[in-house]
């Protein structure tokens, strides 16, 4: 009988003094590689795929092809920026999921091959867990939360509130039942004729507008779950109605519309966070994901520090958006616990924290 050989490379002696992790992230439309020495980021290279802009959203097949073109130069650049030879690497960490299957397969296959070639351990990483553990990257400019804390990941693909009891002990308290919050920003922006991704542009215009100019109804969703698809429809009908009365409505009111949309989305997020704090008794809140850049949510969190006594945490922006450094910090934490993966491991498009 033949068995498929699926080795796990476990170093005989873990060299705890010189741990170098190469991390690879390819779950959506960013190809990224990073090198970490313990918790410190030596390099974090991100190739953002511009091709999707002309389609107004990520096209999975194009993303996968672009990852194939980018992965070798991005890894090369990460190693050379870090001034590390691949022979010095202790392990390779990679995003196993969740994400687009075609995109994940590129990073997974690359990481598996390199780990086999170099005969060093392979470490699989859950992308959502990595967004949260990005807070533990060594960075003098930001504070690190203490356990337990509430992690809220807000991005173009996800909206999730998680109770974080320890590095590898997390419980999902709520998530979006339909669109992610970043999608709500991007789709609203598209209705206003703004280019993709529209989130940053809504934010920019919102800062010059009146957030109470146009009230939008907030969705009623039980517990700590979210829903953003109804808001998008409400905005669409509102704009269609107003344009019928005044064809220049968007142009004349752009700042007020953006401010009103942003205010509604921020209120939806803050309402759920307040509920989560009340339910758990945990008032340390750490956010991550691309939408963490939003000035409205940052301001609301700062206000909650004063009005509700919360402690809030936002990582450096390059560790909020999709990046390999956050995969690397999980790789490092797993390396210390010898949580290695077999080379038979496969990508997992649907991969829930804790599954
Ligand atoms: O985490 P990310 O870079 O990629 C993933 O989706 O995983 O997040 C991108 C999302 C986009 O939807 C983008 O519009 C949104 O983050 N975004 C913002 C802002 N900056 C980025 N949304 C609102 N305000 C911003 N300042
Ligand atoms: Zn992400």
């Amino acid at each position: 009988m033949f068995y498929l050989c699926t080795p796990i490379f476990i170093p005989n002696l873990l060299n705890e003094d010189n741990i170098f992790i190469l991390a690879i992230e390819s779950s959506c439309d960013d190809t990224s590689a990073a090198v970490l020495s313990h918790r410190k980021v030596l390099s974090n290279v991100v190739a953002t795929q511009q091709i999707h802009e002309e389609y107004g959203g990520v096209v999975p097949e194009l993303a996968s092809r672009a990852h194939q073109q980018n992965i070798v130069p991005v890894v090369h650049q990460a190693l050379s920026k870090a001034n590390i030879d691949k022979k010095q690497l202790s392990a390779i960490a990679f995003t196993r999921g969740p994400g687009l299957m075609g995109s994940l397969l590129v990073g997974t296959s690359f990481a598996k091959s390199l780990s086999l070639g170099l005969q060093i351990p392979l470490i699989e990483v859950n992308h959502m867990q990595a967004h949260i553990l990005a807070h533990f990257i060594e960075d003098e400019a930001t504070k690190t939360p203490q356990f337990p804390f509430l992690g809220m990941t807000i991005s173009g693909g996800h909206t999730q509130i998680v109770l974080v009891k320890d590095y590898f002990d997390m419980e999902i308290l709520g998530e979006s039942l339909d669109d992610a919050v970043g999608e709500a920003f991007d789709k609203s922006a598209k209705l206003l004729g703004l280019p993709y991704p529209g989130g940053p542009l809504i934010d920019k215009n919102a800062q010059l507008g009146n957030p109470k100019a146009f009230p939008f109804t907030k969705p009623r969703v039980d517990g700590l779950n979210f829903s953003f698809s109804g808001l998008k429809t409400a905005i669409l009908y509102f704009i269609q109605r107003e344009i019928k009365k005044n064809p220049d409505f968007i142009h004349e009111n752009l700042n007020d519309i953006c401010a009103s949309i942003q205010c509604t989305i921020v209120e939806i997020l803050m309402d759920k966070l307040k509920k989560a704090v009340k339910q758990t008794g945990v008032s340390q809140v750490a956010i991550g994901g691309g939408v963490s850049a939003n000035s409205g949510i940052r301001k609301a969190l700062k206000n909650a520090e004063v009005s509700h006594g919360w402690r809030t945490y936002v990582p450096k922006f390059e560790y909020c958006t999709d990046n390999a450094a956050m995969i690397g910090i999980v790789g490092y934490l797993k390396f210390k616990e010898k949580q290695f993966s077999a080379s038979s491991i496969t990508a997992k498009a649907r991969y829930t924290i804790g599954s």
Side-chain angles (χ1 to χ4, degrees), residues 20-25 31-36 41-47 70-86 89 110 114 324-325:
F20 294 113
I21 308 285
L22 171 68
I24 291 163
E25 153 65 30
T31 318
S32 181
V35 178
L36 272 78
V41 177
L42 302 183
S43 64
N44 184 33
V45 177
V46 183
N70 292 345
I71 191 120
V72 171
V74 164
V75 168
H76 259 294
Q77 214 182 325
L79 287 167
S80 77
K81 272 194 171 177
N83 203 15
I84 291 291
D85 187 273
K86 56 185 183 303
L89 294 173
F110 187 90
L114 197 55

Side-chain angles (χ1 to χ4, degrees), residues 80-271:
S80 77
K81 272 194 171 177
N83 203 15
I84 291 291
D85 187 273
K86 56 185 183 303
K87 293 197 184 78
Q88 290 172 269
L89 294 173
S90 317
I92 299 178
F94 71 99
T95 305
R96 185 183 182 198
L100 301 171
M101 191 43 123
S103 293
L104 290 167
L105 280 172
V106 178
T108 305
S109 317
F110 187 90
K112 282 165 70 167
S113 316
L114 197 55
S115 121
L116 275 169
L118 297 173
Q119 304 229 327
I120 54 173
L122 182 65
I123 301 172
E124 62 97 17
V125 174
N126 179 303
H127 179 92
M128 298 307 290
Q129 199 167 38
H131 267 301
I132 292 169
L133 295 180
H135 288 272
F136 295 92
I137 290 173
E138 195 179 301
D139 177 26
E140 279 162 19
T142 53
K143 316 169 278 174
T144 304
Q146 309 281 309
F147 299 116
F149 64 91
L150 292 172
M152 183 168 76
T153 305
I154 41 178
S155 71
H158 304 276
T159 313
Q160 203 169 62
I161 300 183
V162 178
L163 176 60
V164 188
K165 299 170 211 167
D166 207 334
Y167 295 127
F168 301 111
D169 186 2
M170 302 185 185
E171 184 190 337
I172 299 172
L173 301 180
E175 56 195 337
S176 180
L177 305 174
D178 41 56
D179 290 352
V181 60
E183 268 179 290
F185 271 108
D186 296 340
K187 288 179 177 173
S188 308
K190 202 172 173 182
L191 295 174
L192 301 175
L194 300 172
Y196 175 85
L201 294 168
I202 292 215
D203 191 4
K204 194 170 160 223
N205 293 315
Q207 293 176 41
L208 304 168
N210 170 11
K212 299 293 170 196
F214 307 110
F216 296 110
T217 314
K218 284 185 265 171
R220 287 167 190 266
V221 189
D222 286 343
L224 297 174
N225 286 331
F226 299 88
S227 167
F228 289 101
S229 65
L231 178 66
K232 179 189 64 195
T233 315
I235 295 169
L236 171 69
Y237 289 159
F238 165 76
I239 289 180
Q240 285 176 341
R241 218 171 39 237
E242 294 300 325
I243 284 181
K244 261 190 198 158
K245 291 187 252 166
N246 170 13
D248 285 334
F249 176 75
I250 294 180
H251 182 67
E252 288 172 11
N253 298 279
L254 187 61
N255 293 341
D256 285 350
I257 305 171
C258 288
S260 302
I261 293 172
Q262 179 159 308
C263 172
T264 310
I265 294 177
V266 170
E267 278 179 10
I268 294 171
L269 296 174
M270 289 304 291
D271 285 351

